[in-house]
Amino acid sequence: DGSYYVPIASEGIKNIFGCSPEDVLEDFTPIGKVIYPEDTERVINDIEYSAKHLTFFTCEFRVQIPGKAIQWILSRSSPEKLADGSVTWYGFNADITKRKQVEEELVGTKFVLDTTTDAVYWMQQDGQFVDVNDAACKKLGYTRDELLAMHVNDMNPDYPADRWPATWELIKKEESVSIEAHHKTKDGLVFPVEIQANYVQFGDKERICSYVRDI
């Protein structure tokens, strides 16, 4: 009939929507009023579509509990039509704010990768590349897939594999380090480079982002 309420909820609802399970036993208002205004229509439309078609409900939306920062919530549940014609959902709501922040940071990182004229390399702790830009591929003569299968020591003759762990720890400690080294192209040409290596942490992921300029 278009009404909403939550007959069963865990205590975790306090962290997600700022209300208690008792508050929503017969009234959806405590939840509805903290859903970010720009997201409300989309959330309700998705709920109604799930109710009409009995399809799995999944939605990401923002919530702002008074006095707190905006949170991103992931809501996922499976609908069931009851004998009285109403629909109930069984599922969960999770705070994904940190994940969304990381995604936004990575979008910004991708913009830098695509627009700078310097070669840019993202490396994980073992020295393997996890992302590179077009300038890096063009400068070294490798395809992106070829570079992503390589380690830093494969194209930097100054850094054999056994030297990399100490270099990683130095950059991590200093957070930003300027280095002069040499790089080797796919056809064997060795040339001097200036590297600005920066330690970056996205959630539980540690990375080094290196901006490399041919000198």
Side-chain angles (χ1 to χ4, degrees):
D1 62 2
S3 63
Y4 299 88
Y5 61 97
V6 185
I8 301 174
S10 72
E11 291 295 322
I13 195 172
K14 295 177 181 178
N15 296 325
I16 300 296
F17 296 116
C19 56
S20 69
E22 294 74 25
D23 294 334
V24 292
L25 277 173
E26 299 180 352
D27 186 9
F28 190 76
T29 302
I31 293 176
K33 70 181 184 181
V34 297
I35 296 176
Y36 203 66
E38 294 178 8
D39 297 346
T40 301
E41 182 178 357
R42 175 169 55 84
V43 173
I44 297 301
N45 286 343
D46 286 354
I47 292 174
E48 292 180 348
Y49 184 91
S50 177
K52 181 178 180 179
H53 300 279
L54 295 180
T55 52
F56 192 75
F57 172 76
T58 180
C59 189
E60 294 183 3
F61 55 92
R62 290 165 292 180
V63 163
Q64 187 160 29
I65 299 170
K68 291 188 176 183
I70 294 173
Q71 295 172 273
W72 274 96
I73 305 302
L74 168 64
S75 183
R76 303 187 68 182
S77 57
S78 181
E80 178 185 347
K81 195 164 189 175
L82 304 183
D84 63 1
S86 65
V87 178
T88 189
W89 287 262
Y90 306 93
F92 69 89
N93 294 283
D95 183 348
I96 58 167
T97 306
K98 289 184 179 180
R99 193 198 82 186
K100 297 296 288 189
Q101 290 171 342
V102 169
E103 289 176 355
E104 290 173 2
E105 290 169 341
L106 289 176
V107 168
T109 297
K110 186 62 178 174
F111 175 78
V112 172
L113 282 170
D114 292 341
T115 58
T116 183
T117 56
D118 290 337
V120 181
Y121 306 86
W122 283 85
M123 293 159 282
Q124 58 191 22
Q125 189 169 359
D126 64 1
Q128 183 169 349
F129 298 120
V130 293
D131 207 353
V132 297
N133 67 348
D134 290 342
C137 298
K138 183 177 180 180
K139 192 64 182 176
L140 295 178
Y142 290 100
T143 66
R144 185 173 184 275
D145 287 341
E146 286 175 329
L147 277 176
L148 294 184
M150 295 169 62
H151 288 67
V152 62
N153 51 287
D154 293 328
M155 41 75 74
N156 189 339
D158 295 336
Y159 283 87
D162 60 356
R163 187 176 174 183
W164 172 249
T167 303
W168 170 275
E169 292 300 326
L170 172 65
I171 298 170
K172 180 177 179 178
K173 178 182 177 182
E174 299 295 330
E175 296 187 347
S176 183
V177 174
S178 182
I179 304 169
E180 287 193 7
H182 292 85
H183 279 182
K184 183 167 64 176
T185 65
K186 186 176 182 178
D187 61 9
L189 175 67
V190 176
F191 61 98
V193 294
E194 181 180 67
I195 304 170
Q196 185 66 42
N198 306 286
Y199 173 78
V200 182
Q201 187 167 5
F202 295 117
D204 60 351
K205 292 182 173 62
E206 295 180 291
R207 297 286 186 262
I208 285 177
C209 177
S210 293
Y211 293 81
V212 180
R213 180 163 297 175
D214 181 354
I215 57 171

